[in-house]
Amino acid sequence: AEPTDVLLELQCLSDSFSLGLDVDVVDGGETAQRNQFPLKSGTFRVGHAMVEARFPKGKYSIVPATFKPAQEAEFVISASSSAPISLVAVDHEGRGLVRHLVKGAWRFSDGSAAGSPNGGRFARNPHFRLTLSHQTDVLLRLQANNNPARPAMCITVYEGGERRSESGARFSNAMCVSNSGVYANFPGGVHVPRTALAAGSYSVIVSTFDPIEAEFTLIVYAAQGALRVQTLA
């Protein structure tokens, strides 16, 4: 299919806020065409932002933002295109759940920059214990902090709240793995989709494909009062 010319415009009903607009690929497009993404509206401007580009067939995420945090206002996103397209609002991934943030890092100095299972030291990657007081939906997201290289990452979740041995950390033993076990460097990081977990303890390993030093944020969503997160030494 031929690419579609699209003009996206963001307008805020409050003239006092500076706005920006980001567009990225969710699914679709040839590799050469995908390389133009992510698209950004450029410098944040008061009351209005715009992105204009030729889009290959596929699905895209559109993220409107204010320059400063904690600014609330109604906004409108409009789209003009050379062929029919659909524009659908998507619920926030953690809707109805409480967000917990854990900061960490992969370091060569302590051996935690261990890379994928291919290197034979996978179990030395950072571990976390999730303790659930009752059954709840849980969603996990891993992001590399301010790293322009966007390392390929993965999250694995196991039953039991202890550090895993090298054999016990195999992907085949995991109950949940991000992106079906394929390391990925998506702009928003990698995630384990919303999953119902019973009360109990679970261990989480976060890893990069290649051993590198980098800081990361692990975001865990769960019901109010249901979750405790601990770093495992």
Side-chain angles (χ1 to χ4, degrees), residues 5-229:
D5 293 323
V6 179
L7 171 63
L8 297 168
E9 294 184 271
L10 168 66
Q11 293 180 302
C12 180
L13 302 186
S14 171
D15 292 334
S16 60
F17 295 161
S18 294
L19 307 177
L21 197 61
D22 285 11
V23 183
D24 207 351
V25 179
V26 174
D27 181 34
E30 299 296 330
T31 301
Q33 296 169 322
R34 288 172 64 115
N35 288 341
Q36 69 177 306
F37 295 91
L39 298 173
K40 298 181 179 293
S41 56
T43 303
F44 280 69
R45 296 190 299 175
V46 175
H48 181 263
M50 181 177 67
V51 168
E52 186 173 17
R54 178 161 290 184
F55 286 71
K57 180 181 178 181
K59 295 181 180 179
Y60 300 85
S61 64
I62 303 170
V63 181
T66 57
F67 181 72
K68 295 180 179 180
Q71 292 183 321
E72 296 185 357
E74 295 183 353
F75 64 84
V76 175
I77 297 178
S78 59
S80 305
S81 61
S82 60
I85 62 172
S86 62
L87 190 62
V88 180
V90 179
D91 285 337
H92 186 274
E93 64 181 6
R95 183 178 182 184
L97 303 176
V98 176
R99 185 176 68 164
H100 303 257
L101 273 69
V102 184
K103 302 286 187 179
W106 295 284
R107 300 295 186 203
F108 289 125
S109 58
D110 62 10
S112 62
S116 75
N118 296 344
R121 299 186 302 117
F122 178 73
R124 299 189 67 181
N125 280 295
H127 283 55
F128 300 91
R129 177 188 292 133
L130 309 184
T131 304
L132 302 179
S133 59
H134 59 267
Q135 180 173 323
T136 175
D137 283 353
V138 173
L139 185 151
L140 300 96
R141 179 169 292 280
L142 175 64
Q143 297 176 322
N145 299 349
N146 303 317
N147 191 321
R150 271 187 13 204
M153 301 179 295
C154 188
I155 309 169
T156 45
V157 183
Y158 308 84
E159 290 187 275
E162 305 304 321
R163 284 194 70 95
R164 310 292 291 190
S165 65
E166 202 61 49
S167 60
R170 292 171 182 164
F171 279 24
S172 58
N173 294 325
M175 59 183 302
C176 302
V177 185
S178 61
N179 202 40
S180 302
V182 178
Y183 281 80
N185 62 345
F186 301 127
V190 294
H191 80 293
V192 172
R194 193 166 177 150
T195 304
L197 295 181
S201 294
Y202 302 85
S203 57
V204 177
I205 300 177
V206 297
S207 61
T208 57
F209 183 76
D210 295 312
I212 64 165
E213 287 205 336
E215 297 180 348
F216 63 81
T217 300
L218 177 65
I219 305 169
V220 187
Y221 294 92
Q224 177 75 44
L227 174 67
R228 184 161 60 105
V229 184

